[in-house]
Amino acid sequence: KDIVAHITWHDREMVGVLKTRKLAGSAWWHLPTEERNQNIFQQYRSQSLEEALREHHEVHQALLEEIERLEDEALNDPARIEEMVPGFKLWLILEQNTWIHYLEHKEAVWAWLERR
């Protein structure tokens, strides 16, 4: 449940970036990773597994819809995204916070699924 909530938080942040075409979001991005992750854990700590899964599906669907709306130029031209980090492109940020991030947590998720 905690990993699902953690991944959902990152997905939600990416939905915001894609909707606004601005590299902005939670102030937690400015924290060290461990502190940010602890804040995410605390925020969703009381959420049930069912709530976490429902929210994940909703947010992930919104993410997929926003990705489908993207033009190639927005992915590749840093000037198309406000406040883009110099040298970065949207696809790099999206990659790190979605599919690469999913891969980082896949073993824990698979282990949980095997226990069910």
Side-chain angles (χ1 to χ4, degrees):
K1 171 198 75 114
D2 297 327
I3 293 171
V4 171
H6 172 86
I7 289 170
T8 302
W9 185 88
H10 283 80
D11 281 1
R12 185 181 301 102
E13 289 292 302
M14 293 301 97
V15 169
V17 169
L18 296 176
K19 279 186 176 194
T20 63
R21 301 294 197 266
K22 182 176 183 179
L23 192 61
S26 174
W28 292 353
W29 286 112
H30 302 289
L31 298 174
T33 302
E34 190 58 40
E35 190 174 343
R36 179 176 60 242
N37 289 342
Q38 187 61 34
N39 286 351
I40 295 167
F41 172 77
Q42 290 299 327
Q43 180 176 341
Y44 294 101
R45 176 183 201 152
S46 64
Q47 189 179 49
S48 71
L49 174 61
E50 293 75 24
E51 291 171 320
L53 290 171
R54 180 189 49 73
E55 185 175 357
H56 173 73
H57 290 296
E58 290 172 4
V59 171
H60 193 74
Q61 183 60 42
L63 177 64
L64 293 175
E65 290 170 8
E66 289 302 321
I67 289 171
E68 285 182 17
R69 289 187 184 111
L70 278 175
E71 322 81 38
D72 287 347
E73 296 80 21
L75 286 168
N76 294 300
D77 182 359
R80 299 260 184 148
I81 307 298
E82 283 185 61
E83 299 185 29
M84 181 54 75
V85 176
F88 274 80
K89 295 179 180 178
L90 180 57
W91 73 265
L92 287 168
I93 292 169
L94 192 58
E95 173 189 59
Q96 289 300 313
N97 287 285
T98 58
W99 58 90
I100 297 294
H101 194 221
Y102 306 155
L103 291 173
E104 291 171 357
H105 296 291
K106 81 173 184 177
E107 287 183 28
V109 172
W110 279 114
W112 173 77
L113 287 170
E114 289 175 353
R115 288 192 306 265
R116 289 188 69 176

